[in-house]
Amino acid sequence: MSLLWIKALHVFFMVAWMAGIFYLPRLFVYFAENEDVNTRAVFKIMQRRLWFFVAPFALLTLIFGVWLITIYGMDWFRASTWLHIKLALLIGLYGYYAYLYFIMRDLAQEKNIRSPKFYRFLNEAPVLVLLAIVILAVVKPI
């Protein structure tokens, strides 16, 4: 497979994964704002299905990213400071995604201890991380 195909698939799976990351906390907001048992049950289903739907995209993003690093080689990897920062942000993003799972699990058990405002902040935070990752990957300022 050519380098450009691997890059394209890496970007595609990242975009698909990020779509889920942006929407899942929004479902948490709706859940926290709603008191109706039936509506909450629907949000629980939506949350679970979304998390598990985008999980393969998270894995494929990682696989194609590692493949790219392998193709470019260790000398390139060591010299790419921007990539080290990007990888640190990505580790944080994978941690964030895992954290969303634990929130989803708690909400499924009706253990909501957070306000809708908290979930709104949680919904908006990854946008800044994505912006930094894109700038690092495209502009390579460091």
Side-chain angles (χ1 to χ4, degrees):
M1 186 176 290
S2 79
L3 175 68
L4 293 179
W5 277 104
I6 296 166
K7 279 185 182 181
L9 290 170
H10 176 66
V11 170
F12 169 77
F13 289 122
M14 179 273 302
V15 169
W17 178 40
M18 291 305 300
I21 281 180
F22 291 150
Y23 191 56
L24 186 56
R26 178 54 48 187
L27 291 174
F28 297 164
V29 171
Y30 299 150
F31 180 92
E33 289 178 339
N34 202 299
E35 296 296 325
D36 182 64
V37 174
N38 294 325
T39 305
R40 281 182 149 208
V42 171
F43 285 132
K44 290 176 191 179
I45 293 168
M46 291 172 68
Q47 292 164 15
R48 182 171 176 77
R49 286 183 178 170
L50 180 60
W51 196 94
F52 284 102
F53 176 74
V54 299
F57 301 144
L59 179 61
L60 288 166
T61 299
L62 178 64
I63 289 169
F64 283 101
V66 169
W67 194 353
L68 285 170
I69 291 170
T70 303
I71 289 171
Y72 280 108
M74 287 309 295
D75 290 337
W76 172 83
F77 179 76
R78 281 190 281 280
S80 300
T81 305
W82 66 270
L83 182 59
H84 298 138
I85 298 167
K86 178 189 170 196
L87 291 174
L89 291 171
L90 282 171
I91 289 168
L93 204 52
Y94 279 95
Y96 174 86
Y97 187 59
Y99 179 61
L100 294 180
Y101 174 82
F102 291 112
I103 291 174
M104 178 187 68
R105 186 189 62 190
D106 288 346
L107 295 180
Q109 298 171 5
E110 292 292 333
K111 295 180 184 174
N112 180 26
I113 59 169
R114 306 270 196 257
S115 70
K117 190 175 186 175
F118 172 82
Y119 296 125
R120 278 191 188 89
F121 172 76
L122 197 65
N123 181 224
E124 295 162 5
V127 173
L128 300 175
V129 175
L130 177 61
L131 175 62
I133 288 171
V134 169
I135 289 170
L136 287 164
V138 174
V139 179
K140 297 175 181 62
I142 300 171

PDB file of all heavy atoms in Angstrom, residues 115-130:
ATOM      1  N   SER A 115     -22.975  17.872  36.388  1.00  0.00           N
ATOM      2  CA  SER A 115     -24.013  18.761  35.869  1.00  0.00           C
ATOM      3  C   SER A 115     -23.950  18.802  34.339  1.00  0.00           C
ATOM      4  O   SER A 115     -22.924  18.464  33.747  1.00  0.00           O
ATOM      5  CB  SER A 115     -23.787  20.178  36.404  1.00  0.00           C
ATOM      6  OG  SER A 115     -22.621  20.741  35.816  1.00  0.00           O
ATOM      7  N   PRO A 116     -25.029  19.258  33.709  1.00  0.00           N
ATOM      8  CA  PRO A 116     -24.984  19.439  32.254  1.00  0.00           C
ATOM      9  C   PRO A 116     -23.858  20.396  31.837  1.00  0.00           C
ATOM     10  O   PRO A 116     -23.266  20.220  30.775  1.00  0.00           O
ATOM     11  CB  PRO A 116     -26.360  20.023  31.926  1.00  0.00           C
ATOM     12  CG  PRO A 116     -27.244  19.540  33.022  1.00  0.00           C
ATOM     13  CD  PRO A 116     -26.367  19.496  34.247  1.00  0.00           C
ATOM     14  N   LYS A 117     -23.559  21.367  32.679  1.00  0.00           N
ATOM     15  CA  LYS A 117     -22.487  22.320  32.374  1.00  0.00           C
ATOM     16  C   LYS A 117     -21.124  21.605  32.273  1.00  0.00           C
ATOM     17  O   LYS A 117     -20.323  21.912  31.391  1.00  0.00           O
ATOM     18  CB  LYS A 117     -22.444  23.402  33.456  1.00  0.00           C
ATOM     19  CG  LYS A 117     -21.546  24.558  33.151  1.00  0.00           C
ATOM     20  CD  LYS A 117     -21.680  25.631  34.221  1.00  0.00           C
ATOM     21  CE  LYS A 117     -20.898  26.856  33.848  1.00  0.00           C
ATOM     22  NZ  LYS A 117     -21.097  27.939  34.808  1.00  0.00           N
ATOM     23  N   PHE A 118     -20.873  20.656  33.168  1.00  0.00           N
ATOM     24  CA  PHE A 118     -19.640  19.874  33.111  1.00  0.00           C
ATOM     25  C   PHE A 118     -19.549  19.130  31.785  1.00  0.00           C
ATOM     26  O   PHE A 118     -18.503  19.116  31.133  1.00  0.00           O
ATOM     27  CB  PHE A 118     -19.577  18.891  34.280  1.00  0.00           C
ATOM     28  CG  PHE A 118     -18.436  17.920  34.176  1.00  0.00           C
ATOM     29  CD1 PHE A 118     -17.160  18.289  34.578  1.00  0.00           C
ATOM     30  CD2 PHE A 118     -18.629  16.650  33.656  1.00  0.00           C
ATOM     31  CE1 PHE A 118     -16.098  17.403  34.472  1.00  0.00           C
ATOM     32  CE2 PHE A 118     -17.576  15.751  33.549  1.00  0.00           C
ATOM     33  CZ  PHE A 118     -16.308  16.132  33.956  1.00  0.00           C
ATOM     34  N   TYR A 119     -20.650  18.491  31.377  1.00  0.00           N
ATOM     35  CA  TYR A 119     -20.647  17.736  30.134  1.00  0.00           C
ATOM     36  C   TYR A 119     -20.492  18.648  28.916  1.00  0.00           C
ATOM     37  O   TYR A 119     -19.893  18.251  27.918  1.00  0.00           O
ATOM     38  CB  TYR A 119     -21.898  16.873  30.016  1.00  0.00           C
ATOM     39  CG  TYR A 119     -21.977  15.808  31.085  1.00  0.00           C
ATOM     40  CD1 TYR A 119     -23.080  15.703  31.914  1.00  0.00           C
ATOM     41  CD2 TYR A 119     -20.930  14.904  31.268  1.00  0.00           C
ATOM     42  CE1 TYR A 119     -23.152  14.725  32.902  1.00  0.00           C
ATOM     43  CE2 TYR A 119     -20.987  13.930  32.255  1.00  0.00           C
ATOM     44  CZ  TYR A 119     -22.101  13.849  33.068  1.00  0.00           C
ATOM     45  OH  TYR A 119     -22.155  12.882  34.043  1.00  0.00           O
ATOM     46  N   ARG A 120     -21.002  19.863  29.000  1.00  0.00           N
ATOM     47  CA  ARG A 120     -20.791  20.825  27.910  1.00  0.00           C
ATOM     48  C   ARG A 120     -19.306  21.152  27.765  1.00  0.00           C
ATOM     49  O   ARG A 120     -18.777  21.204  26.662  1.00  0.00           O
ATOM     50  CB  ARG A 120     -21.587  22.104  28.159  1.00  0.00           C
ATOM     51  CG  ARG A 120     -23.011  22.012  27.756  1.00  0.00           C
ATOM     52  CD  ARG A 120     -23.679  23.393  27.763  1.00  0.00           C
ATOM     53  NE  ARG A 120     -25.091  23.212  27.539  1.00  0.00           N
ATOM     54  CZ  ARG A 120     -25.992  23.013  28.497  1.00  0.00           C
ATOM     55  NH1 ARG A 120     -25.619  22.988  29.753  1.00  0.00           N
ATOM     56  NH2 ARG A 120     -27.249  22.835  28.199  1.00  0.00           N
ATOM     57  N   PHE A 121     -18.646  21.387  28.889  1.00  0.00           N
ATOM     58  CA  PHE A 121     -17.211  21.648  28.848  1.00  0.00           C
ATOM     59  C   PHE A 121     -16.472  20.429  28.291  1.00  0.00           C
ATOM     60  O   PHE A 121     -15.581  20.561  27.447  1.00  0.00           O
ATOM     61  CB  PHE A 121     -16.679  21.990  30.244  1.00  0.00           C
ATOM     62  CG  PHE A 121     -15.183  22.084  30.288  1.00  0.00           C
ATOM     63  CD1 PHE A 121     -14.530  23.188  29.784  1.00  0.00           C
ATOM     64  CD2 PHE A 121     -14.436  21.037  30.806  1.00  0.00           C
ATOM     65  CE1 PHE A 121     -13.148  23.262  29.795  1.00  0.00           C
ATOM     66  CE2 PHE A 121     -13.050  21.102  30.826  1.00  0.00           C
ATOM     67  CZ  PHE A 121     -12.401  22.216  30.316  1.00  0.00           C
ATOM     68  N   LEU A 122     -16.862  19.258  28.750  1.00  0.00           N
ATOM     69  CA  LEU A 122     -16.245  18.020  28.279  1.00  0.00           C
ATOM     70  C   LEU A 122     -16.449  17.864  26.776  1.00  0.00           C
ATOM     71  O   LEU A 122     -15.582  17.341  26.078  1.00  0.00           O
ATOM     72  CB  LEU A 122     -16.879  16.835  29.023  1.00  0.00           C
ATOM     73  CG  LEU A 122     -16.158  15.515  29.001  1.00  0.00           C
ATOM     74  CD1 LEU A 122     -14.819  15.627  29.735  1.00  0.00           C
ATOM     75  CD2 LEU A 122     -17.014  14.439  29.654  1.00  0.00           C
ATOM     76  N   ASN A 123     -17.572  18.333  26.275  1.00  0.00           N
ATOM     77  CA  ASN A 123     -17.895  18.266  24.851  1.00  0.00           C
ATOM     78  C   ASN A 123     -17.009  19.196  24.017  1.00  0.00           C
ATOM     79  O   ASN A 123     -16.661  18.873  22.889  1.00  0.00           O
ATOM     80  CB  ASN A 123     -19.367  18.617  24.670  1.00  0.00           C
ATOM     81  CG  ASN A 123     -19.825  18.569  23.233  1.00  0.00           C
ATOM     82  OD1 ASN A 123     -20.521  19.457  22.787  1.00  0.00           O
ATOM     83  ND2 ASN A 123     -19.457  17.547  22.503  1.00  0.00           N
ATOM     84  N   GLU A 124     -16.623  20.327  24.586  1.00  0.00           N
ATOM     85  CA  GLU A 124     -15.890  21.338  23.816  1.00  0.00           C
ATOM     86  C   GLU A 124     -14.377  21.205  23.930  1.00  0.00           C
ATOM     87  O   GLU A 124     -13.650  21.644  23.038  1.00  0.00           O
ATOM     88  CB  GLU A 124     -16.348  22.729  24.251  1.00  0.00           C
ATOM     89  CG  GLU A 124     -17.810  22.976  23.907  1.00  0.00           C
ATOM     90  CD  GLU A 124     -18.431  24.131  24.672  1.00  0.00           C
ATOM     91  OE1 GLU A 124     -17.703  24.815  25.411  1.00  0.00           O
ATOM     92  OE2 GLU A 124     -19.642  24.334  24.518  1.00  0.00           O
ATOM     93  N   ALA A 125     -13.879  20.599  24.979  1.00  0.00           N
ATOM     94  CA  ALA A 125     -12.435  20.514  25.215  1.00  0.00           C
ATOM     95  C   ALA A 125     -11.656  19.820  24.097  1.00  0.00           C
ATOM     96  O   ALA A 125     -10.580  20.291  23.719  1.00  0.00           O
ATOM     97  CB  ALA A 125     -12.173  19.832  26.563  1.00  0.00           C
ATOM     98  N   PRO A 126     -12.141  18.706  23.536  1.00  0.00           N
ATOM     99  CA  PRO A 126     -11.333  18.031  22.517  1.00  0.00           C
ATOM    100  C   PRO A 126     -11.158  18.833  21.231  1.00  0.00           C
ATOM    101  O   PRO A 126     -10.265  18.537  20.442  1.00  0.00           O
ATOM    102  CB  PRO A 126     -12.061  16.715  22.256  1.00  0.00           C
ATOM    103  CG  PRO A 126     -13.419  16.896  22.782  1.00  0.00           C
ATOM    104  CD  PRO A 126     -13.342  17.930  23.859  1.00  0.00           C
ATOM    105  N   VAL A 127     -11.992  19.846  21.024  1.00  0.00           N
ATOM    106  CA  VAL A 127     -11.831  20.686  19.834  1.00  0.00           C
ATOM    107  C   VAL A 127     -10.462  21.367  19.849  1.00  0.00           C
ATOM    108  O   VAL A 127      -9.772  21.426  18.827  1.00  0.00           O
ATOM    109  CB  VAL A 127     -12.964  21.737  19.742  1.00  0.00           C
ATOM    110  CG1 VAL A 127     -12.711  22.725  18.622  1.00  0.00           C
ATOM    111  CG2 VAL A 127     -14.303  21.046  19.564  1.00  0.00           C
ATOM    112  N   LEU A 128     -10.057  21.847  21.010  1.00  0.00           N
ATOM    113  CA  LEU A 128      -8.753  22.513  21.117  1.00  0.00           C
ATOM    114  C   LEU A 128      -7.603  21.527  20.925  1.00  0.00           C
ATOM    115  O   LEU A 128      -6.586  21.865  20.305  1.00  0.00           O
ATOM    116  CB  LEU A 128      -8.640  23.218  22.469  1.00  0.00           C
ATOM    117  CG  LEU A 128      -9.684  24.296  22.737  1.00  0.00           C
ATOM    118  CD1 LEU A 128      -9.548  24.841  24.156  1.00  0.00           C
ATOM    119  CD2 LEU A 128      -9.573  25.408  21.707  1.00  0.00           C
ATOM    120  N   VAL A 129      -7.781  20.330  21.425  1.00  0.00           N
ATOM    121  CA  VAL A 129      -6.752  19.302  21.240  1.00  0.00           C
ATOM    122  C   VAL A 129      -6.644  18.950  19.759  1.00  0.00           C
ATOM    123  O   VAL A 129      -5.540  18.840  19.222  1.00  0.00           O
ATOM    124  CB  VAL A 129      -7.054  18.048  22.089  1.00  0.00           C
ATOM    125  CG1 VAL A 129      -6.056  16.941  21.810  1.00  0.00           C
ATOM    126  CG2 VAL A 129      -7.065  18.408  23.566  1.00  0.00           C
ATOM    127  N   LEU A 130      -7.776  18.789  19.093  1.00  0.00           N
ATOM    128  CA  LEU A 130      -7.752  18.488  17.660  1.00  0.00           C
ATOM    129  C   LEU A 130      -7.087  19.620  16.882  1.00  0.00           C
ATOM    130  O   LEU A 130      -6.295  19.359  15.970  1.00  0.00           O
ATOM    131  CB  LEU A 130      -9.165  18.234  17.133  1.00  0.00           C
ATOM    132  CG  LEU A 130      -9.261  17.976  15.634  1.00  0.00           C
ATOM    133  CD1 LEU A 130      -8.459  16.737  15.244  1.00  0.00           C
ATOM    134  CD2 LEU A 130     -10.707  17.847  15.201  1.00  0.00           C
TER     135      LEU A 130
END
